[in-house]
Amino acid sequence: MSDTSIYLKAAEDLRNNPAQSAAYESKGNCVVLAGPGSGKTKTLTVKLARLLSEDIQEPRGLACITYNNECARELETRLAALGIEPGRRAFIGTVHSFSLTQIVLPYAKAADMGLPDEFCVATRAERRRALETAYNQVIGGRENPQQLDFKMGTYRRSILNRNSAEWRETDPEMASLVEAFEAELRAMGRIDFDDMPLLAVRALREHEWLQRAILAKYPVLVVDEYQDLGRALHRMVMGLCFSTGMRLFAVGDADQSIYEFNGANPQLLRELAARKDVECVRLRLNYRSGSKIVEASSFALGEARDYEAAEGAEEGTVYFHPQQGSYENQAAEAFSVVIADIAKRHPDLKPGDIAILYPAAWLGDKVAEVAQQVGLSVIRTDTNAIYSRTSRLMRWLERCAEWCCGGWQTGTPRFSHLVNEGARLFAEEINTPGARLAFQRALMDSLWSRRESALSLRQWLTDIRAAFITDLIAKCRTMKDEGETLDNFIGRTQAGKDCSDMTVAQFAGQGEGNESLHLSTLHSAKGREFPIVIMFGMDQGNIPRKGSNESQKLEARRLFYVGFTRAKSEVHVMHSATRPSPFVTELKTRLDVQ
């Protein structure tokens, strides 16, 4: 820890908002219900700083569980800016990472989890092989086994008790497929992504001594985006925080629950907030969006909310753009008319200040194709991005590239942060002061000699991989899939492939580039904000999807709301004139737009 006066000054700023201050001052279990743009992350990081500085005595610490690795990195960066270096006292990461590194890896044998010695995390290719074998054993036939992967994952996550009648009777064939699939993984010496929280929950339920061990290390559990983290995390919270006495500080918004397909359930957050032994705080002020956007957001959600724009906020505007023709024609209209008009109103706006959001990645393909035709640079953060945005290794390499492209001079990012993040990536191997020092030297040697923006990305990645990454991946059981992602991307940079001309500067810009338009699905835009948001393809059949049941329609409505509330000053809703989404039609009616 360094200068605690920094976080104390930030805490004083929270006093101007009574709800934020109440969350900061909470002593027991606390749930913060935080609407869009309500200063949730600021409140959370200042609270984390206080917990580590004042409430928790060394060497004990806290565990902070986030929805994804980007959220974790954001929290760590903000903590560092507050003068707090979490170090070994704080775990900050996803529920999968917490389950694996804090429970499964250290206690697999002692808790009798039934895992083979020296098990590894399966790569995507290994999962596919295991599912194919299990399918042939249980079902058979000509169907593609991979088409059952989604259904199998949903079944695994939705029914946690394998000894229950519910597990066996709800879908006997699927229960048998799951068991055969997991048995095949174990025979291969593997676990997969879904295994991590499921194994952890079972071990905690069966071993009271394990609950006490986790409590001894982490007397406080912090959960961000609680509504998105699913039943396994909820079961963990119920056991650790309301049985063993671990203190809970949770933040979330049921209105932004958009991951039902991954097991998320907004009702779990509502039930938690309603408990008598939990203090519930609501953050109502929106510091992000203009007042008209805040007002219209409740119409987008379809339910009344009492959110208000913060004092002094600009008015903000909502525009509707009925379109004719194909999505390619509509994308062309977005560039030639909508964005051109935005540029006239905001001459100082950068391309990176504009986000085009859509319900599905195939719509992003249409936009990206037209952008290429008109010579506009874009950054995609959807499933059709040039590599998975969920890859921790690729995102870390992006930041290493930023350092090589001038960050070594500006301090953005700081080299110490690259070392810290890299050490966490390869924590299995970098687990002593000596190993950390060796890694720091290897990283500096590799990056210092490659501080050139115009370098070929293929050469840069190949050299760095050979220098130390290949060896680390081989020694870390959790990184094999990440290595596969890196190798696949390097393959795309060879001559004749789509990324063959990519430079280190272009690679660095994939993370934070401000000269490129942002293209994202509504799902991937969650947690982000932009001055201007264009919601593209808001049509019937796209949102909600054709054939949606009532639960799926409600989630689609929340998804529409999430996209709408990413904007600071302007929201542009583009839709086909003859088949607008019912959400768009209702929003127009409520706003009295013709």
Side-chain angles (χ1 to χ4, degrees):
M1 296 183 191
S2 51
D3 187 359
T4 57
S5 63
I6 302 176
Y7 96 81
L8 291 173
K9 183 179 184 302
E12 285 302 312
D13 292 340
L14 298 182
R15 309 288 181 198
N16 297 321
N17 183 316
Q20 290 181 347
S21 182
Y24 175 77
E25 296 289 354
S26 63
K27 302 298 183 185
N29 297 321
C30 180
V31 170
V32 180
L33 301 180
S38 59
K40 178 263 291 183
T41 305
K42 176 182 178 181
T43 305
L44 178 57
T45 48
V46 178
K47 180 68 172 182
L48 286 172
R50 177 176 187 169
L51 289 168
L52 287 168
S53 299
E54 302 177 29
D55 293 13
I56 305 171
Q57 297 298 313
E58 293 191 49
R60 304 175 83 192
L62 60 80
C64 178
I65 294 176
T66 65
Y67 180 71
N68 58 34
N69 291 301
E70 281 301 292
C71 294
R73 184 172 70 91
E74 174 72 8
L75 290 177
E76 289 183 336
T77 301
R78 291 203 187 196
L79 273 176
L82 292 174
I84 304 294
E85 294 289 347
R88 292 185 177 274
R89 290 186 62 211
F91 169 89
I92 301 179
T94 65
V95 65
H96 295 85
S97 178
F98 177 79
S99 299
L100 180 66
T101 63
Q102 306 301 308
I103 300 175
V104 178
L105 283 173
Y107 298 109
K109 288 187 177 180
D112 193 24
M113 295 184 194
L115 300 179
D117 293 342
E118 299 304 314
F119 65 88
C120 295
V121 178
T123 65
R124 286 184 289 273
E126 289 168 339
R127 283 191 83 261
R128 287 194 292 270
R129 289 200 301 270
L131 178 53
E132 183 174 350
T133 300
Y135 173 83
N136 289 332
Q137 290 173 355
V138 174
I139 301 173
R142 296 185 178 182
E143 185 179 2
N144 180 358
Q146 307 311 317
Q147 292 180 347
L148 294 176
D149 193 18
F150 179 83
K151 184 178 180 181
M152 182 180 70
T154 300
Y155 201 75
R156 292 172 80 189
R157 292 186 293 266
S158 61
I159 306 174
L160 301 184
N161 186 357
R162 297 289 177 84
N163 298 318
S164 67
E166 182 186 15
W167 170 259
R168 180 60 53 198
E169 296 171 4
T170 302
D171 189 336
E173 184 176 74
M174 191 54 57
S176 297
L177 181 65
V178 169
E179 291 167 1
F181 169 75
E182 291 177 352
E184 185 61 25
L185 282 180
R186 303 300 180 265
M188 298 164 62
R190 301 291 187 263
I191 66 172
D192 75 343
F193 195 66
D194 279 338
D195 271 321
M196 298 172 189
L198 298 177
L199 288 166
V201 166
R202 278 179 226 148
L204 287 169
R205 184 179 65 237
E206 294 169 3
H207 302 287
E208 188 177 335
W209 62 263
L210 180 54
Q211 298 176 29
R212 293 196 300 269
I214 302 301
L215 174 63
K217 188 175 183 180
Y218 301 124
V220 178
L221 177 64
V222 179
V223 183
D224 188 20
E225 303 290 1
Y226 194 98
Q227 76 282 352
D228 288 330
L229 291 168
R231 293 183 182 278
L233 183 278
H234 185 67
R235 186 70 57 85
M236 240 183 256
V237 167
M238 291 300 104
L240 290 172
C241 299
F242 300 104
S243 294
T244 66
M246 184 181 285
R247 178 178 165 191
L248 174 68
F249 186 85
V251 181
D253 181 8
D255 290 338
Q256 297 186 69
S257 180
I258 57 174
Y259 295 103
E260 184 178 357
F261 58 86
N262 272 338
N265 181 350
Q267 188 58 28
L268 300 178
L269 175 61
R270 297 187 186 104
E271 292 173 1
L272 183 67
R275 288 180 63 104
K276 293 182 179 179
D277 51 356
V278 168
E279 178 183 0
C280 181
V281 177
R282 287 193 71 237
L283 303 185
R284 293 179 49 254
L285 290 180
N286 186 322
Y287 294 92
R288 174 190 300 153
S289 302
S291 56
K292 282 195 172 180
I293 295 174
V294 173
E295 179 186 7
S297 67
S298 63
F299 303 152
L301 182 63
E303 295 184 35
R305 294 290 183 266
D306 61 348
Y307 296 131
E308 296 178 12
E311 187 176 351
E314 62 179 287
E315 189 172 71
T317 314
V318 180
Y319 299 87
F320 293 89
H321 304 278
Q323 300 292 299
Q324 303 289 340
S326 68
Y327 285 121
E328 289 86 353
N329 291 339
Q330 295 184 32
E333 181 85 0
F335 291 118
S336 63
V337 178
V338 178
I339 292 178
D341 288 345
I342 290 170
K344 291 176 184 177
R345 286 194 299 276
H346 307 280
D348 296 329
L349 210 65
K350 299 288 187 182
D353 295 325
I354 302 173
I356 302 180
L357 311 182
Y358 33 82
W362 65 267
L363 284 162
D365 293 341
K366 308 295 185 185
V367 178
E369 288 167 10
V370 175
Q372 186 176 26
Q373 292 168 10
V374 299
L376 286 174
S377 174
V378 300
I379 294 175
R380 294 188 69 169
T381 53
D382 57 30
T383 55
N384 289 346
I386 57 174
Y387 46 79
S388 172
R389 305 304 294 172
T390 63
S391 170
R392 295 179 297 151
L393 177 59
M394 296 303 297
R395 300 306 299 272
W396 178 67
L397 287 169
E398 281 178 5
R399 288 183 281 283
C400 289
E402 289 176 41
W403 189 87
C404 288
C405 295
W408 63 278
Q409 293 174 304
T410 64
T412 305
R414 288 164 55 183
F415 183 73
S416 61
H417 289 177
L418 296 179
V419 174
N420 290 340
E421 190 172 351
R424 283 192 299 275
L425 270 176
F426 304 105
E428 281 184 86
E429 182 65 15
I430 307 173
N431 53 15
T432 65
R436 183 183 178 89
L437 181 59
F439 171 72
Q440 181 175 323
R441 287 172 175 167
L443 182 63
M444 176 57 79
D445 288 346
S446 295
L447 299 186
W448 187 258
S449 60
R450 296 173 177 85
R451 292 169 296 129
E452 176 55 57
S453 301
L455 279 176
S456 157
L457 177 61
R458 179 174 177 79
Q459 192 63 54
W460 188 86
L461 286 174
T462 302
D463 290 348
I464 289 176
R465 179 182 63 174
F468 63 92
I469 289 178
T470 297
D471 184 55
L472 284 171
I473 287 175
K475 294 176 179 178
C476 293
R477 292 180 285 171
T478 62
M479 293 297 292
K480 298 186 186 305
D481 200 46
E482 294 277 4
E484 191 176 86
T485 298
L486 173 58
D487 289 344
N488 289 339
F489 179 65
I490 290 177
R492 294 177 62 178
T493 63
Q494 64 185 353
K497 299 291 186 177
D498 58 335
C499 298
S500 60
D501 296 328
M502 205 166 184
T503 63
V504 176
Q506 290 171 319
F507 179 64
Q510 290 296 308
E512 302 295 338
N514 204 38
E515 297 303 320
S516 302
L517 288 165
H518 291 274
L519 306 187
S520 173
T521 58
L522 294 167
H523 280 101
S524 296
K526 189 171 180 296
R528 307 179 72 189
E529 61 180 41
F530 304 92
I532 310 290
V533 164
I534 299 171
M535 299 178 69
F536 183 83
M538 296 294 120
D539 292 348
Q540 192 168 22
N542 292 341
I543 184 168
R545 290 185 179 180
K546 186 177 180 180
S548 294
N549 59 33
E550 285 306 310
S551 177
Q552 291 165 337
K553 288 178 182 177
L554 287 173
E555 181 165 273
R557 169 78 83 171
R558 295 193 295 270
L559 186 61
F560 184 68
Y561 171 74
V562 164
F564 198 90
T565 54
R566 299 310 90 197
K568 295 180 181 179
S569 60
E570 293 185 10
V571 179
H572 296 259
V573 182
M574 298 188 69
H575 62 89
S576 296
T578 57
R579 47 189 176 87
S581 164
F583 307 150
V584 172
T585 302
E586 180 182 337
L587 180 60
K588 280 185 168 184
T589 301
R590 300 287 295 274
L591 292 175
D592 195 23
V593 175
Q594 300 301 315

